[in-house]
Amino acid sequence: MRALVISDIHANLQALEAVLQAAPPWDEVWNLGDIVGYGANPNEVAQKAQSLGGVIVRGNHDRACAGLADLEDFSEAAAEAARWTQSILTAGNRNWLANLPRGPLQRPGLPLQLVHGSPFDEDEYLASRGRAHAVLTASAAKIILFGHTHIQGGFATNGEEDFRLVPHFSSASEADWFELPVRRGAQYLLNPGSVGQPRDSDWRAAFGLFDDAQDVFTWHRVPYDVSEAQRRIRRAGLPDFLAARLVTGQ
Ligand code: ZN
């Protein structure tokens, strides 16, 4: 079974389309949330996510844009984008977002969990090795797939040593991938990266592919039409910062 693992699309239709075009064949989609917020095409991206189906976890921006959370913890730009998204979402899409389940979700038959932030807090940013160790040792899952940080990579432990996982690519501008063999006796926290707003200094859209039969997780990057995504953000009157950051990947 091959799963296309996507997260943090953030209403970036150009990035999502590039990912779907570049992705190797998959059997189902695992979506780790933040489908909307920040970008200019929340309705189109929500529709696409619905038609892709699969396992879908809600993100904090999905919750906020559906009107289920107040915006006081959001930055000014994020809050402004959330209010704009609320104003433009169709009732059907808002309802769909409002009813997405919070993680952790399971995939029956596989020893893994799907979360937005962490298994213990959907809003937690998992960014340190120490915290990753604590999360992994408290969990029975072999693999925890997470998003939220917009940073591709992750963490592993074999019970004795902890590792930070960082994919290495030979190209900085073309489509590229990096394979991680999943080892027996180890536990993993794996982040596919952000489709629509990467923050790991790489502007390319990020995604992952998990091959259960081969026991391999592959990180992918793919170039997309950033200029068009920026043009739409500016045309929508969203904060310019949200357009500018796409090109630096920060
Ligand atoms: Zn996000």
Side-chain angles (χ1 to χ4, degrees):
M1 201 277 304
R2 287 153 66 95
L4 174 65
V5 189
I6 52 178
S7 190
D8 299 278
I9 307 167
H10 282 293
N12 186 335
L13 183 63
Q14 288 67 43
L16 178 58
E17 284 177 340
V19 163
L20 295 175
Q21 207 156 30
W26 72 85
D27 301 304
E28 63 182 57
V29 173
W30 297 344
N31 185 332
L32 308 179
D34 276 5
I35 294 155
V36 300
Y38 293 136
N41 288 103
N43 282 310
E44 294 83 349
V45 167
Q47 288 296 139
K48 185 69 93 176
Q50 285 170 72
S51 66
L52 288 170
V55 184
I56 309 176
V57 186
R58 77 176 182 189
N60 53 316
H61 285 257
D62 303 322
R63 207 170 69 228
C65 293
L68 297 183
D70 62 45
L71 303 175
E72 65 186 20
D73 292 337
F74 273 31
S75 70
E76 193 43 52
E80 195 175 331
R83 282 190 292 269
W84 178 85
T85 304
Q86 288 172 354
S87 75
I88 199 175
L89 276 176
T90 65
N93 286 333
R94 189 183 316 114
N95 194 42
W96 177 73
L97 288 164
N99 285 293
L100 288 176
R102 79 189 289 171
L105 299 182
Q106 319 282 332
R107 174 60 177 75
L110 296 176
L112 51 80
Q113 287 187 325
L114 285 73
V115 304
H116 183 63
S118 93
F120 305 107
D121 179 354
E122 61 182 332
D123 295 341
E124 177 178 5
Y125 286 91
L126 270 175
S128 76
R129 234 159 54 167
R131 182 60 191 147
H133 176 89
V135 167
L136 285 171
T137 51
S139 171
K142 179 172 176 62
I143 299 174
I144 299 168
L145 297 169
F146 73 107
H148 195 43
T149 63
H150 298 208
I151 293 171
Q152 195 174 48
F155 305 91
T157 183
N158 59 15
E160 291 170 355
E161 270 188 289
D162 301 322
F163 305 89
R164 184 183 290 272
L165 306 170
V166 181
H168 293 285
F169 302 108
S170 51
S171 160
S173 57
E174 304 297 317
D176 210 341
W177 68 89
F178 183 86
E179 288 187 349
L180 174 80
V182 174
R183 301 195 190 283
R184 210 167 282 170
Q187 280 181 290
Y188 296 86
L189 268 162
L190 301 176
N191 189 326
S194 169
V195 171
Q197 196 200 75
R199 294 180 197 160
D200 46 15
S201 304
D202 186 333
W203 62 274
R204 295 172 295 180
F207 66 98
L209 194 90
F210 176 61
D211 188 324
D212 153 61
Q214 303 291 324
D215 259 345
V216 172
F217 186 91
T218 308
W219 283 294
H220 287 261
R221 297 308 278 237
V222 59
Y224 74 97
D225 191 347
V226 179
S227 304
E228 178 61 17
Q230 291 182 305
R231 202 172 63 79
R232 292 187 185 201
I233 285 172
R234 291 180 171 129
R235 198 173 58 195
L238 289 161
D240 193 73
F241 164 66
L242 298 178
R245 71 185 307 176
L246 293 182
V247 89
T248 58
Q250 281 175 352

